[in-house]
């Protein structure tokens, strides 16, 4: 029987008859719903299908700009590949806006038609995959809420080409298509004349309510903004409670860390309202934002204008209750001396990450308020100054970008990382000349992309960041010559000039402001609906600051478009760090988050085109991510934040560097602390070796059996084998003789080669006698006599447990996670570490791990005329070692895997490199009928026998991993 037909039959049986029937994930029917907890969204499936199809069609009644935005990068990539599609939508109920129809017209590879069918409410997505076809049918229209947030049910079904259901669906679509008319610019113009958006309807007919619910109307926060009725949002209420709790404990200082755009100024005003000070001092670093801050306070606190005063430049104050001052004016000695040290009972410092400067310290040292509050979005410092210490480590509240998006506190964004233009075969990079940056060719490309990705609302209000002042000035001329109203602002422009330009943008008298760095922070323009980045990312902090310029909510703004032109820069790896908040310095984690951008919360999306994604991968690979500088900076930042020498567990709890990397940067964590010049207690040589063992072998959390046993023996003198196995069963961990023997061989060091046994202490840590486990006398004495050693061991155990949460420990390996050859030897319970003898694969104890270097080194690849290959996402073409035929004992055993009960595990590494990390693709099952002998050229150019076998993978390779592995 044809293998494809067989796969479909088993999928049909699994989906509709018996779920225990083994089936490929690729073909079985599936319910699609939005589940934010595990990052599962209907949008994910649409993107996966688009990225693997030959052609497609959609029949959807309602489409929004934001829903379309989520697909634009993928549709653009498909256009480059010549893959085309069709979309039928409607003018039913005037749900679809004229602007959305204009956005559809921008799709080069998609033909659009409109149906006048009364009651058209279809929601179907079809994808042709050449050998089979896929349909997604259900409740989701092409709106961002339906694809990511709403409670939606959709059924994903697959069919072979002759299936009756798929035939009926295509026939129905063809009928609708032929009865529809093509979308044109002229039709949109006529449609706009009669357009009556539902959002403006004062009283809605109840019969329309099912459709109206899908309209993405202005949020409650925006409604409050428009009517000036301002009440604390969820975050602000929580923060106010936490600030008050700090005051109730008798503390006089606190710091709030809150992402840009989350309403820090309003938050502070609400707290001032609750505190009711006799006199308030609000300090900012730029005169430009004084008036805005004061106006916001007036909205919350009320009172007469005479209660409010500004201290800046020529503006002086007298006895106003609420004083808003710039740091430059206030820090002058002649100004400061006019006030008593207790003049203000409540002082608030905005953008307090700047407080390490002498001007700030001068003011902080001078005044003695009843309460001091600092606010910042980015407390991390590179100059070593400890902001947290300034506030006695009293962090009242902390909410970062991802959390703020989840809480719907920010305007949703659609980020597009797209490749910058190649000029004469060369990419824009650090060496790009001024003429290249402003060439006609590049300008045409930039304007084309800015138009394609668009913006929310009727007119653009854009902010463009570039790298040089002369570039900003030239871009102003170019944009204006092309019909835009644009102003370049750099450090040479006065506050008055900047304020005028900002007002012109807000009032719609200007389209774009072009700047170098002056708008990274301290500027509030809620109406910005497009941010364009024409510069390399210098730091993740600056990236988030610039991204944040567009994240404030505003009326008539559903989302903000972020267009990042990614050149061939060494530090492109900073982009996923900034977008994800991932400070782990773990290259594999960063690669995974670049591969899969579907983790972003709420209505926002992150999109990279294929070339820019590859550039980021290359940047991660060649980066000095694990440099001494980065380790020192991460350590100092964490120590500054918590006010003490961090434990390893603190790194996880504070979402910073991966503790596995810290502990193993030197022999162990105490050695790392010595390297950081910390004064810590001494350890004996043997204690150091024990900590090295725990750090190198067990801290990774890939199996918890060992740490559970060690943790229990620290709590009690001994534990029986029965008690230990019962404990493992509580966690649903594997309990068998081989696993228990493996645990023993780890602790008595018999698993390791002689050199490592010496490095780890050479004698057992845990002994088993008569089914009783107990610590070795030497280890027990160290725990008893050296409290520092015990503290380090307990920290390693707790951190390992916490780190293990990334793995599914009910299985031997976790699908799509990374393992080394040594990990595999341990986890499949081999008696010894045999990583050095695996050479691609090795069969032992009814297990056979296969390790594949997907992209060989160039000097090898040019000679070897065969290569392992992922044929598709569930099939691996695998080659044995050279000089093997079908008569070879290992080959026979692999082909007879079922009768031998042989477990074959497939691991793949994108390319040969120093780090021996492989992505686990899951269990592999040989397709016996595909096995064949071949004669190929080996690396020396000589003929050699070899056997090729197609392997069916139990798990479908995630599309992001599949693309990552296959890309060169």
């Amino acid at each position: 029987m044809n293998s494809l037909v067989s796969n479909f039959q088993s999928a049909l049986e699994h989906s509709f008859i018996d779920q225990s029937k083994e089936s490929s994930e690729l073909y079985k029917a599936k319910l699609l719903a939005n589940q934010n907890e595990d990052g599962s969204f209907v949008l994910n499936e649409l993107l996966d299908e688009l990225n693997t199809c030959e052609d497609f069609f959609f029949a959807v009644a309602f489409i929004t700009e934001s829903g379309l935005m989520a697909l634009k990068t993928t549709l653009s990539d498909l256009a480059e590949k010549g893959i085309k599609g069709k979309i039928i939508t409607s003018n039913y109920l005037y749900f679809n806006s004229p602007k959305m129809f204009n956005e559809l017209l921008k799709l080069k590879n998609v033909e659009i038609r409109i149906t006048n069918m009364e009651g058209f409410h279809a929601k179907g997505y079809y994808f042709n995959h050449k050998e089979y076809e896929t349909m997604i049918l259900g409740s989701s229209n092409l709106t961002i809420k339906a694809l990511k947030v709403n409670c939606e049910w959709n059924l994903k079904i697959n069919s072979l080409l002759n299936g009756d259901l798929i035939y009926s669906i295509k026939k129905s679509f063809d009928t609708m298509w032929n009865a529809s008319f093509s979308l044109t610019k002229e039709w949109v113009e006529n449609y706009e004349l009669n357009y009556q958006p539902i959002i403006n309807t004062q009283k809605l007919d109840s019969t329309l309510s099912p459709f109206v619910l899908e309209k993405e109307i202005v949020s409650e926060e925006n409604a409050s903004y428009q009517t000036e009725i301002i009440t604390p949002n969820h975050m602000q209420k929580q923060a106010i409670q936490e600030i008050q709790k700090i005051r109730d404990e008798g503390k006089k200082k606190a710091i709030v860390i809150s992402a840009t755009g989350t309403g820090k100024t309003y938050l502070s005003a609400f707290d001032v309202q609750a505190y009711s000070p006799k006199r308030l001092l609000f300090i900012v670093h730029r005169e430009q934002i004084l008036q805005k801050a004061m106006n916001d306070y007036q909205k919350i606190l009320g009172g007469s204008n005479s209660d409010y005063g500004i201290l800046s430049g020529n503006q002086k104050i007298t006895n106003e209750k609420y004083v808003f001052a710039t740091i430059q004016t206030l820090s002058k000695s002649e100004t400061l001396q006019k006030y008593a040290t207790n003049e203000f009972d409540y002082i608030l410092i905005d953008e307090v990450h700047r407080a390490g400067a002498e001007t700030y310290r001068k003011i902080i040292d001078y005044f003695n308020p009843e309460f001091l509050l600092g606010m910042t979005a980015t407390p991390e410092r590179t100059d070593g100054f400890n902001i947290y210490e300034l506030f006695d480590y009293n962090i009242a509240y902390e909410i970062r970008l991802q959390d703020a998006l989840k809480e719907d506190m920010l305007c949703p964004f659609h980020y597009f990382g797209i490749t910058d233009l190649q000029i004469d075969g060369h990419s824009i990079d650090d060496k790009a000349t001024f003429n290249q940056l402003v060439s006609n060719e590049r300008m045409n490309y930039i304007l084309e992309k800015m138009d394609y990705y668009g913006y929310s609302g009727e007119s653009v209000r854009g902010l463009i960041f570039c790298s040089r002042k002369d570039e900003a000035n030239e871009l102003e001329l170019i944009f204006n010559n092309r019909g835009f109203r644009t102003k370049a602002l750099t450090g040479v422009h006065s506050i008055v000039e900047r304020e005028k330009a900002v007002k012109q943008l807000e009032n719609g008298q200007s389209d774009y402001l072009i700047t170098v760095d002056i708008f990274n922070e301290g500027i509030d323009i809620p109406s910005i609906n497009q941010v364009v980045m024409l510069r390399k990312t210098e730091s993740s902090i600056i990236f988030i600051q610039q991204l944040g310029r567009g994240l404030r909510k505003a009326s008539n703004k559903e989302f903000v478009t972020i267009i990042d032109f990614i050149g061939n820069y060494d530090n492109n790896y900073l982009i996923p760090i900034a977008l994800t908040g991932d400070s782990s310095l773990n290259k594999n984690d960063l690669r995974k988050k670049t591969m899969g951008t579907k983790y972003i919360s709420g209505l926002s999306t992150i999109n990279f085109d294929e070339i820019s994604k590859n550039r980021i991968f290359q940047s991660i690979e060649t980066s000095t991510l694990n440099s001494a500088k980065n380790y020192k900076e991460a350590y100092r930042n964490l120590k500054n934040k918590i006010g003490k020498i961090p434990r390893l567990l603190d790194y996880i709890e504070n979402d910073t560097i991966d503790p596995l990397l810290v502990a193993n940067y030197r022999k162990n964590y105490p050695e790392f602390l010595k390297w950081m010049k910390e004064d810590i207690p001494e350890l004996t040589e043997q204690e150091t070796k024990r900590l090295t063992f725990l750090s190198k072998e067990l801290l990774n959390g890939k199996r918890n059996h060992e740490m559970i046993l060690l943790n229990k023996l620290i709590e009690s003198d001994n534990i029986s084998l029965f008690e230990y196995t019962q404990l493992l069963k509580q966690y649903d961990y594997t309990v068998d003789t081989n696993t228990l023997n493996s645990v023993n061989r780890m602790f008595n060091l018999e698993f390791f080669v002689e050199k490592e046994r010496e490095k780890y202490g050479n004698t057992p840590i845990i002994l088993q006698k008569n089914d009783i486990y107990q610590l070795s006398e030497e280890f027990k004495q160290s725990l008893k006599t050296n409290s520092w050693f015990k503290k380090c061991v307990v920290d390693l155990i707790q951190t390992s447990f916490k780190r293990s949460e990334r793995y599914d420990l009910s299985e031997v390996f976790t699908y799509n996670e990374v393992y080394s050859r040594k990990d595999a030897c341990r986890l499949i319970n081999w008696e010894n570490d045999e990583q050095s003898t695996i050479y691609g694969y090795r069969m032992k104890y009814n297990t056979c791990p296969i390790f594949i270097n997907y992209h060989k080194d160039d000097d090898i690849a040019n000679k070897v005329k065969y290569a392992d290959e992922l044929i598709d996402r569930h099939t691996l073409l695998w080659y044995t070692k050279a000089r093997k035929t079908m008569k070879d004992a290992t080959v026979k055993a692999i082909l007879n895997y079922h009768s031998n009960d042989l477990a074959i595990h497939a691991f793949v590494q994108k390319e040969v490199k120093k780090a021996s990390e492989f992505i686990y693709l899951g269990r592999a099952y040989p397709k016996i009928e595909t096995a064949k002998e071949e004669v190929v050229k080996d690396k020396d150019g000589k003929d050699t026998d070899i056997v090729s076998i197609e392997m069916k993978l139990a798990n479908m390779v995630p599309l992001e991993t599949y693309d990552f592995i296959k890309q060169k």
Side-chain angles (χ1 to χ4, degrees):
M1 183 187 293
N2 179 287
S3 62
L4 189 60
V5 173
S6 175
N7 284 332
F8 264 89
Q9 288 186 339
S10 62
L12 180 67
E13 187 172 350
H14 172 90
S15 299
F16 298 104
I17 301 173
D18 182 2
Q19 64 178 318
S20 65
K21 173 74 175 179
E22 182 182 300
S23 170
S24 170
E25 184 75 20
L26 185 63
Y27 302 120
K28 67 184 183 183
K30 188 176 179 182
L31 176 68
L32 307 184
N34 296 313
Q35 299 174 24
N36 192 57
E37 308 78 39
D38 59 3
S40 175
F41 306 113
V42 178
L43 175 61
N44 300 6
E45 299 288 340
L46 284 185
L47 291 172
D48 280 2
E49 294 300 324
L50 281 171
N51 276 300
T52 55
C53 73
E54 299 287 320
D55 58 73
F56 61 92
F57 68 69
F58 299 166
V60 285
F62 303 144
I63 306 175
T64 60
E65 288 179 68
S66 200
L68 190 59
M69 291 289 269
L71 307 183
K72 275 195 171 181
T73 297
T74 298
L75 293 175
S76 177
D77 283 342
L78 292 181
E80 293 292 321
K81 299 174 185 176
I83 293 175
K84 298 181 179 181
K86 297 177 179 179
I87 295 177
I88 291 179
T89 188
S90 76
N91 55 5
Y92 186 46
L93 296 177
Y94 286 108
F95 181 94
N96 292 332
S97 72
K99 187 163 183 286
M100 186 285 298
F101 283 124
N102 281 324
E103 292 300 313
L104 285 173
L105 287 171
K106 295 177 183 178
L107 305 178
K108 298 177 181 178
N109 57 325
V110 184
E111 189 178 351
I112 314 293
R113 288 198 176 183
I114 309 297
T115 176
N116 282 326
M117 184 186 297
E118 184 67 25
F120 179 77
H121 206 232
K123 303 174 185 70
Y125 305 85
Y126 162 88
F127 308 91
N128 170 29
H129 295 289
K130 201 171 186 178
E131 290 186 317
Y132 69 96
E133 297 165 302
T134 300
M135 279 297 305
I136 296 175
L137 303 168
S139 64
S140 290
N141 275 300
L142 190 49
T143 74
I144 196 64
K145 285 188 176 180
L147 299 181
K148 284 202 73 184
V149 174
N150 290 349
C151 178
E152 306 275 349
W153 277 12
N154 299 275
L155 182 63
K156 177 180 176 181
I157 52 176
N158 299 283
S159 171
L160 291 176
L161 305 184
N162 292 326
D164 181 64
L165 178 61
I166 213 79
Y167 171 79
S168 299
I169 290 170
K170 289 195 290 185
K171 184 178 179 181
S172 177
F173 180 85
D174 287 341
T175 300
M176 286 190 295
W177 185 260
N178 292 330
S180 303
F181 57 89
S182 296
L183 177 67
T184 64
K185 191 73 176 174
E186 293 72 26
W187 180 87
V188 178
E189 290 171 356
N190 290 327
Y191 176 79
E192 191 167 11
L193 293 175
N194 301 312
Y195 178 61
Q196 296 177 348
I198 293 174
I199 190 172
N200 289 337
T201 303
Q202 296 298 314
K203 193 171 183 179
L204 297 169
D205 189 299
S206 60
T207 60
L208 302 186
S209 58
F211 310 111
V212 172
L213 289 175
E214 299 185 50
K215 187 68 181 176
E216 297 174 30
I217 62 174
V218 178
S219 67
E220 290 180 12
E221 289 85 353
N222 282 343
S224 296
Y225 172 85
Q226 294 175 67
T227 60
E228 300 297 325
I229 300 171
I230 304 168
T231 56
N233 61 30
H234 175 66
M235 180 279 290
Q236 290 163 344
K237 287 177 182 177
Q238 280 192 313
I240 291 166
Q241 290 173 3
E242 294 302 318
I243 295 170
Q244 186 58 49
K245 188 183 295 184
I246 285 175
R247 284 197 290 261
D248 290 343
E249 293 171 355
K251 298 172 181 176
K252 300 178 66 174
K253 299 177 180 179
I255 184 171
V256 170
I257 302 164
S258 184
T260 299
T262 51
K264 292 191 294 295
T265 305
Y266 280 149
L267 161 62
S268 65
F270 286 126
D271 189 61
V272 169
Q273 185 180 52
Y275 188 86
S276 188
K278 295 177 182 176
R279 207 163 185 214
L280 164 78
L281 175 61
F282 187 107
I283 304 172
V284 300
H285 72 285
R286 278 189 180 165
E287 186 175 352
Q288 207 169 340
I289 56 177
L290 269 183
Q291 189 67 49
K292 175 68 168 62
M294 190 172 76
N295 290 344
D296 288 345
Y297 263 63
Q298 282 185 289
K299 293 174 188 176
I300 305 298
L301 303 179
S304 65
N305 289 339
S306 61
D307 288 336
Y308 297 83
I310 285 181
L311 176 61
S312 174
N314 295 323
Q315 299 187 63
K316 307 300 178 186
I317 63 164
T318 52
N319 298 313
E320 289 87 349
K321 183 176 181 179
Y322 305 114
V323 177
F324 295 79
T326 60
I327 188 70
Q328 295 86 352
T329 301
L330 185 61
S331 62
K332 293 177 180 177
S333 297
E334 61 271 23
T335 305
L336 206 53
Q337 296 303 321
K338 292 178 181 178
Y339 303 103
T341 57
N342 61 351
E343 185 89 24
F344 303 98
D345 44 340
Y346 193 126
I347 295 180
L348 189 143
I349 304 176
D350 192 25
E351 306 292 359
V352 77
H353 55 273
R354 298 171 171 273
E358 185 179 342
T359 50
Y360 283 89
R361 294 312 310 270
K362 185 176 180 180
I363 291 170
I364 292 169
D365 291 343
Y366 181 81
F367 286 113
N368 183 27
E370 286 299 313
F371 190 68
L372 175 65
L373 181 67
M375 301 188 302
T376 181
T378 53
E380 293 80 13
R381 303 279 298 178
T382 57
D383 60 5
F385 183 79
N386 190 348
I387 295 297
Y388 301 101
E389 183 181 24
L390 192 61
F391 291 88
D392 299 334
Y393 305 101
N394 298 325
I395 303 173
Y397 195 77
E398 181 171 6
I399 185 164
R400 301 290 181 136
L401 177 62
Q402 294 288 336
D403 298 320
L405 289 168
K406 194 178 297 182
E407 292 289 337
D408 191 31
M409 295 165 58
L410 300 173
C411 176
F413 69 85
H414 296 292
Y415 169 89
F416 300 98
I418 57 179
T419 181
D420 210 330
L421 186 68
Q422 283 198 342
I423 300 174
D424 297 329
H426 298 287
S427 300
I428 297 295
D429 57 20
D430 295 316
K431 302 181 184 67
T433 65
F434 174 77
N435 288 337
Q436 287 177 316
L437 295 177
V438 297
S439 68
N440 277 332
E441 192 178 1
R442 188 179 187 231
M443 288 301 103
N444 291 338
Y445 177 78
I446 289 170
L447 290 170
E448 176 193 341
K449 296 301 182 183
M450 287 167 63
D451 175 65
Y452 178 73
Y453 289 110
Y455 50 85
S456 174
E458 294 306 312
S459 60
V460 68
R461 285 170 172 77
L463 192 56
I464 300 175
F465 291 97
C466 59
S467 55
R468 298 161 44 169
K469 290 180 181 179
D470 56 353
E471 181 187 0
N473 293 328
E474 186 66 21
L475 288 176
E476 177 188 337
L477 294 174
I478 293 172
F479 271 66
N480 288 336
N481 287 336
R482 297 201 181 199
F484 294 96
R485 299 166 300 170
T486 308
K487 176 66 177 176
L489 292 175
T490 65
V492 302
H493 291 90
S494 68
I495 295 296
V496 173
E497 289 174 303
R498 296 178 196 180
E499 288 179 345
K500 180 181 177 182
V502 168
K503 284 182 180 178
Q504 288 175 334
L505 186 72
E506 289 179 313
N507 295 336
Q509 298 170 291
S510 178
D511 300 316
Y512 288 99
L513 296 181
I514 304 175
T515 181
V516 180
D517 280 322
I518 62 171
F519 282 177
N520 290 356
E521 57 182 347
I523 187 69
D524 186 7
I525 316 175
S527 60
I528 287 175
N529 54 19
Q530 190 185 73
V531 177
V532 181
M533 299 179 177
L534 297 177
R535 80 293 170 272
K536 72 173 181 178
T537 300
E538 295 287 359
S539 81
S540 57
I541 292 175
I542 292 175
F543 182 97
I544 289 298
Q545 288 174 338
Q546 295 179 347
L547 174 73
R549 295 309 101 209
L551 296 184
R552 295 189 186 278
K553 291 187 173 184
S555 58
N556 300 319
K557 173 182 161 184
E558 182 190 331
F559 58 86
V560 59
T561 305
I562 313 293
I563 308 173
D564 191 1
F565 289 87
I566 299 176
N568 194 23
Y569 301 120
D570 291 338
N571 52 358
N572 282 332
Y573 67 89
L574 291 170
I575 297 172
I577 288 177
L579 289 169
T580 65
D582 186 325
S583 303
S584 68
L585 301 186
N586 186 314
K587 288 189 176 185
N588 182 61
D589 286 354
L590 209 52
R591 278 192 294 266
K592 284 178 68 175
K593 288 180 178 177
T594 305
M595 287 188 291
T597 57
K598 299 160 189 172
Y599 48 79
I600 194 76
S601 297
L603 302 176
S604 299
T605 61
I606 296 174
N607 311 271
F608 294 106
D609 67 18
E610 289 188 12
I611 296 175
S612 63
K613 189 178 288 189
N614 272 335
R615 285 179 174 172
I616 291 173
F617 287 145
Q618 292 166 8
S619 174
I620 292 171
E621 208 60 49
T622 59
S623 73
T624 54
L625 204 58
N626 304 132
S627 66
K629 175 180 176 290
N630 285 345
Y631 280 114
K632 288 179 177 179
E633 185 176 313
Y635 176 81
R636 279 195 296 263
N637 283 335
L638 180 56
K639 184 183 178 184
N640 286 347
K641 182 176 182 180
I642 64 177
K644 61 180 182 180
I645 293 176
R647 302 167 300 162
L648 286 171
L649 189 59
D650 289 319
Y651 291 91
I652 293 182
E653 292 180 343
N654 289 276
D655 293 321
T656 182
I657 185 171
D658 185 347
L660 185 66
L661 299 178
V662 181
N664 292 323
Y665 188 67
R666 291 293 186 263
K667 293 178 183 177
N668 52 55
Y669 190 48
E671 291 296 313
F672 177 87
L673 295 176
K674 286 182 181 178
W675 178 67
M676 290 300 301
K677 305 292 191 293
E678 295 288 9
D679 185 13
I680 59 173
E682 289 297 322
L683 295 167
T684 66
E685 182 181 355
Q686 188 69 351
E687 288 167 349
T688 296
K689 289 182 176 182
R690 296 313 198 187
L691 292 179
T692 299
F693 163 70
L694 295 175
S695 300
K696 300 285 187 187
E697 305 299 338
L698 304 182
L699 176 60
N700 57 50
K702 293 177 180 177
R703 183 169 78 183
N704 274 349
H705 292 63
E706 289 88 349
M707 287 304 205
I708 286 175
L709 179 57
L710 181 59
N711 190 51
K712 195 67 179 175
L713 289 175
I714 291 176
E715 295 173 355
S716 57
D717 286 340
N718 57 64
I719 181 176
S720 69
L721 176 61
F722 176 77
E723 290 173 318
Y724 177 45
T725 55
Q726 290 301 114
L727 193 57
L728 294 174
K729 288 176 182 178
Q730 288 178 21
Y731 293 102
D732 195 28
Y733 292 164
T734 304
V735 180
D736 57 37
T737 301
N738 290 337
T739 303
L740 295 173
N741 286 341
S742 174
V743 171
N744 286 344
R745 293 182 71 80
M746 290 296 291
F747 279 125
N748 63 28
L749 305 184
E750 291 178 5
F751 173 79
F752 303 99
V753 298
E754 184 176 346
K755 185 178 179 180
E756 283 190 321
R757 287 199 293 270
E758 172 59 32
K759 183 171 71 175
Y760 295 153
N762 229 356
T763 57
I765 291 175
I766 293 176
L767 305 169
Q768 183 189 18
K769 187 175 182 181
N770 300 325
D771 289 342
I772 299 294
Y773 293 100
Q774 62 184 50
L775 294 172
S776 69
E777 194 58 37
E778 162 254 312
F779 197 85
K780 189 189 299 182
Q781 280 298 114
S782 288
L783 292 172
K784 185 177 180 179
T785 59
N786 190 337
S787 60
W788 170 239
F789 175 72
K790 182 176 182 179
K791 184 178 179 180
C792 291
V793 172
V794 171
D795 184 28
L796 280 161
I797 294 170
Q798 293 175 340
T799 305
S800 174
F801 288 156
K802 191 68 178 175
R803 198 177 187 281
S804 71
E805 292 175 3
R806 66 174 63 195
Y807 303 105
D808 177 8
L809 296 186
S810 63
E811 301 289 338
V812 178
F813 301 105
T814 300
Y815 169 61
N816 206 34
E817 284 292 342
V818 166
Y819 297 87
S820 66
R821 291 184 177 91
K822 187 177 185 180
D823 289 330
C825 294
R826 171 194 168 207
L827 297 176
I828 55 180
N829 300 322
W830 286 10
E831 290 186 353
N832 300 102
D833 172 14
E834 301 187 36
Q835 60 175 311
S836 61
T837 62
I838 290 179
Y839 300 122
Y841 64 95
R842 189 171 185 194
M843 190 166 61
K844 199 167 187 177
Y845 310 134
N846 289 89
T847 58
C848 183
I850 296 172
F851 292 89
I852 297 165
N853 292 314
Y854 202 86
H855 296 293
K856 309 292 191 291
D857 289 339
D858 289 341
D859 59 338
I860 295 176
N862 289 336
K863 297 175 183 176
V864 179
K865 302 306 179 186
Y866 64 92
D868 304 296
E869 181 187 5
L870 281 168
I871 297 174
D872 51 43
R873 293 166 63 194
H874 58 104
T875 311
L876 171 68
L877 176 61
W878 176 72
Y879 287 87
T880 64
K881 299 170 188 175
R883 296 184 294 280
K884 300 291 181 183
T885 67
M886 300 283 272
K887 297 177 182 179
D888 178 76
T890 300
V891 173
K892 285 182 178 179
I894 288 173
L895 293 175
N896 293 321
Y897 75 97
H898 195 271
S899 58
N900 296 335
D901 195 25
L902 178 68
I904 303 172
H905 297 278
F907 300 82
V908 64
Q909 184 183 60
K910 182 172 181 177
E911 53 199 23
V912 179
K913 55 184 180 180
K914 292 180 180 178
S916 56
E917 295 178 331
F918 293 80
I919 301 170
Y920 180 57
L921 299 185
R923 289 282 295 272
Y925 301 94
K927 295 182 177 181
I928 298 170
E929 70 278 9
T930 68
K932 59 182 179 181
E933 294 179 358
E934 297 183 35
V935 177
V936 299
K937 299 291 184 184
D938 64 14
K939 64 181 180 180
D940 297 318
K942 298 178 180 177
D943 288 348
T944 184
D945 295 319
I946 200 167
V947 176
S948 67
I949 307 170
E950 286 186 20
M951 298 273 192
K952 176 184 174 183
L953 298 172
N955 300 96
M956 182 170 63
V957 180
L959 182 61
E960 297 88 356
T961 301
Y962 180 77
D963 286 344
F964 168 67
I965 292 169
K966 296 203 57 134
Q967 286 169 343
K968 290 187 178 179

